[in-house]
Amino acid sequence: MKYIVKVAFFIALVIVLSSCNNQSGTDKSDENNDDISKTKTVTSEQKSQDKTNENLSYDPAEFKRSLTKTEKLMLMQNGSLSGEKYNRSKMHAKLDKLSSNMTGEQYYNQLLKLLKEDYTEPVKTLVNYDAEIKVQNKGPNEDIENKNMSAEDLEYVIMLDSSGSMAGEVNGQTKMDIAKHSINEFASNLPEESKISLRAYGLEGTNQSKDKKISCNSVGELYNGQYKRQVFTQSLKDIQPAGWTPIAAALSSIKGDMGTEKKVIVYIVSDGIETCGGDPVQSVKELKQLGIDVSVNIISFDIEDRGQELLKEISDEGNGQFKNITSQEDLDKYLRQQNEMLRYQWSSWKDEGVKESVRESDNKRLEILDLENEIKEISNVEYKNLTEAQEYLRDHSSGNEEAINKLSDLINARYGKITSYARDTSEKIRNNISASGSEKINDYTEKGNQKVEEYLQ
């Protein structure tokens, strides 16, 4: 009896364990099924998305913004009989195969598959169009790579010869007094934010042989900063005719003081050539080799022809001007002309900038009008073909008048959407072009007028 009980207990235990294992297996199986189901769902969604992208007749990445509904319907797959492939007989043959029991929407979709025209290029151009006016003219004394350079980016260096010969007289005035007066007036008429460096060379010793060494090594900066009349005038008074003429040393003195970020405009006022054995032309070359953007202008006092030739070599190397003067009036006139020239150049810069901005604005507006008309012309062709197909169906599909009328409404609505899109989008872009053009014109006008005013005497 005990044996029977034990066997029965063992059998029951086996059944229970087996049941637990089966349940566990079922749970795991269900768990696996859930994972598979999830995987299938994700895969299905991904495939659906991929299929949607594959069905697009355009690449969304080619457009700089999201497309509107109208733009999307214009970019649907082109009809098999659109454009140059259009053939009336083939269209009629295709229409004859359509069921006479279709709805208006179904007819509409079938006609688009046959006759929808290609709007891709004009739509892409409109969506990605840059309406900004980008006229960028280099202003006078402006570096090509820095089109926004202003007076703060310019450094004026005035070098005054203080050799003993500057004590000589012209029409009852010393050359030194003439130079000081004219330089002061010239500096006072530079733009207020301009930085001026006033330097003198040969200002120590005498023009005697015994003082040559000390004089040839004497180059001093007496003023540096924006023009302040009282201080600048006093700095000029401190310069007196003294020694020799170290023009090369004076030019070389710029090396340690001027960087490469500004344009340096040099005016050398001298009544003689280099007398200290230096090579002014080489000094200019070295400045340029250091990357200093320098322009060297030479103003000479009544120098003989050979001396003029030597000084002109300096200005030629320095991409500047050479002027030989013989009186106070000549010097005043020359320095005044420097301001007048810049005033004229800025006025011309303004006028040219305004003219080019107007020209670019007009060209862009005409380009947009051409795109508007191109879309309308395509739409007219499409509308004509769709309407002709609709009339063919009306004549050959008895008893389906309601569907044909609905088809007519859909065709008219499509034509209205596309032509309105062309008109409204064109107008919006043209307004943006006009706004950008007006802003650019104002920029040129304001800056040009400001610069002209700065250089007025």
Side-chain angles (χ1 to χ4, degrees):
M1 181 69 179
K2 289 180 179 180
Y3 175 76
I4 294 173
V5 171
K6 287 181 180 180
V7 170
F9 176 76
F10 177 75
I11 292 172
L13 181 61
V14 170
I15 292 172
V16 170
L17 290 175
S18 175
S19 174
C20 289
N21 287 334
N22 287 338
Q23 181 63 42
S24 175
T26 301
D27 291 343
K28 288 182 179 178
S29 176
D30 290 343
E31 216 172 88
N32 291 335
N33 287 336
D34 285 344
D35 289 342
I36 293 171
S37 176
K38 290 177 181 178
T39 301
K40 286 182 177 179
T41 301
V42 172
T43 303
S44 176
E45 290 176 356
Q46 184 62 47
K47 286 182 177 179
S48 176
Q49 182 63 40
D50 292 342
K51 186 176 181 180
T52 299
N53 289 335
E54 288 175 1
N55 289 336
L56 290 177
S57 58
Y58 60 90
D59 182 1
E62 293 181 352
F63 298 86
K64 68 179 184 181
R65 63 164 171 78
S66 298
L67 300 176
T68 65
K69 289 182 179 180
T70 301
E71 288 164 345
K72 288 178 180 178
L73 71 85
M74 294 169 70
L75 294 172
M76 289 169 51
Q77 190 71 39
N78 297 328
S80 59
L81 296 178
S82 63
E84 295 181 354
K85 295 180 289 185
Y86 177 77
N87 182 290
R88 183 179 286 103
S89 297
K90 289 183 179 180
M91 178 186 72
H92 291 168
K94 295 280 187 182
L95 296 179
D96 289 339
K97 295 179 181 179
L98 296 180
S99 170
S100 59
N101 296 321
M102 296 174 69
T103 65
E105 287 82 359
Q106 289 172 331
Y107 276 128
Y108 176 71
N109 290 331
Q110 290 300 317
L111 292 192
L112 287 182
K113 289 180 180 179
L114 292 174
L115 302 171
K116 186 265 174 186
E117 291 292 332
D118 187 0
Y119 298 90
T120 305
E121 290 307 315
V123 170
K124 185 185 296 184
T125 303
L126 286 180
V127 172
N128 296 330
Y129 199 83
D130 185 357
E132 183 181 357
I133 303 301
K134 298 180 179 180
V135 176
Q136 292 288 353
N137 290 343
K138 180 173 69 71
N141 290 333
E142 291 185 338
D143 187 87
I144 292 175
E145 295 180 355
N146 183 3
K147 295 181 173 58
N148 296 317
M149 182 178 283
S150 63
E152 294 96 329
D153 303 303
L154 301 176
E155 181 93 19
Y156 290 90
V157 180
I158 301 172
M159 293 182 172
L160 180 55
D161 180 2
S162 60
S163 63
S165 58
M166 287 291 285
E169 293 188 358
V170 174
N171 297 327
Q173 286 183 289
T174 66
K175 297 175 185 177
M176 181 61 78
D177 287 341
I178 292 174
K180 287 180 179 180
H181 171 79
S182 298
I183 288 172
N184 203 2
E185 291 305 309
F186 172 71
S188 69
N189 284 293
L190 292 174
E192 291 183 0
E193 65 269 31
S194 299
K195 188 177 180 182
I196 305 171
S197 171
L198 174 63
R199 303 182 183 216
Y201 53 89
L203 72 170
E204 295 182 10
T206 68
N207 57 0
Q208 302 300 311
S209 297
K210 63 183 180 65
D211 290 331
K212 182 175 182 179
K213 183 175 181 180
I214 186 173
S215 181
C216 287
N217 289 320
S218 61
V219 178
E221 184 177 49
L222 293 90
Y223 186 93
N224 193 311
Q226 294 179 351
Y227 179 80
K228 305 294 181 185
R229 190 173 191 90
Q230 185 175 355
V231 182
F232 191 84
T233 302
Q234 183 57 52
S235 299
L236 280 170
K237 286 181 178 180
D238 293 338
I239 304 174
Q240 299 300 327
W244 294 65
T245 313
I247 298 177
L251 286 166
S252 295
S253 70
I254 295 177
K255 291 180 183 178
D257 301 332
M258 305 296 172
T260 58
E261 69 280 0
K262 292 191 176 185
K263 183 175 183 64
V264 183
I265 302 175
V266 179
Y267 289 93
I268 298 177
V269 182
S270 177
D271 74 336
I273 62 174
E274 169 76 32
T275 60
C276 291
D279 186 347
V281 174
Q282 181 60 33
S283 295
V284 176
K285 289 180 179 179
E286 291 173 357
L287 291 175
K288 294 194 293 186
Q289 288 169 359
L290 291 172
I292 298 174
D293 186 3
V294 64
S295 173
V296 181
N297 304 280
I298 304 290
I299 307 168
S300 68
F301 270 105
D302 196 21
I303 297 179
E304 77 287 349
D305 293 344
R306 177 54 183 162
Q308 290 184 38
E309 291 176 6
L310 293 174
L311 291 176
K312 190 174 185 302
E313 289 178 6
I314 304 172
S315 60
D316 287 345
E317 182 63 36
N319 300 315
Q321 296 180 349
F322 171 82
K323 181 69 176 178
N324 186 51
I325 59 99
T326 58
S327 66
Q328 174 79 66
E329 290 75 15
D330 285 348
L331 182 54
D332 287 344
K333 181 180 179 181
Y334 171 76
L335 292 175
R336 185 169 60 250
Q337 285 174 342
Q338 297 302 295
N339 283 326
E340 289 175 349
M341 178 181 65
L342 285 171
R343 187 168 70 249
Y344 170 77
Q345 289 174 344
W346 277 111
S347 180
S348 298
W349 172 86
K350 176 193 72 174
D351 293 342
E352 186 63 25
V354 169
K355 183 171 69 174
E356 289 187 17
S357 297
V358 170
R359 184 189 302 121
E360 183 174 325
S361 178
D362 288 345
N363 288 341
K364 280 179 172 284
R365 287 168 56 84
L366 288 173
E367 186 177 11
I368 293 302
L369 280 174
D370 287 343
L371 288 169
E372 175 186 344
N373 290 330
E374 182 180 353
I375 290 176
K376 288 180 177 178
E377 288 173 5
I378 296 173
S379 183
N380 286 337
V381 171
E382 182 182 85
Y383 179 77
K384 173 180 173 295
N385 294 339
L386 288 172
T387 302
E388 183 178 311
Q390 169 228 312
E391 291 301 324
Y392 183 85
L393 288 172
R394 187 184 298 278
D395 294 340
H396 294 79
S397 57
S398 58
N400 204 2
E401 188 69 19
E402 183 179 350
I404 300 302
N405 289 337
K406 177 63 176 178
L407 170 60
S408 178
D409 292 340
L410 291 172
I411 292 173
N412 289 327
R414 175 181 174 84
Y415 179 75
K417 285 180 181 179
I418 293 175
T419 53
S420 295
Y421 165 82
R423 181 189 65 247
D424 296 343
T425 306
S426 168
E427 182 179 7
K428 181 179 179 180
I429 295 175
R430 284 185 282 114
N431 288 339
N432 290 339
I433 292 170
S434 296
S436 179
S438 296
E439 182 178 355
K440 183 64 69 173
I441 289 169
N442 288 338
D443 288 345
Y444 273 101
T445 302
E446 290 178 6
K447 183 175 181 179
N449 289 341
Q450 174 193 344
K451 290 298 182 181
V452 170
E453 184 67 27
E454 285 175 357
Y455 286 99
L456 281 173
Q457 297 234 11

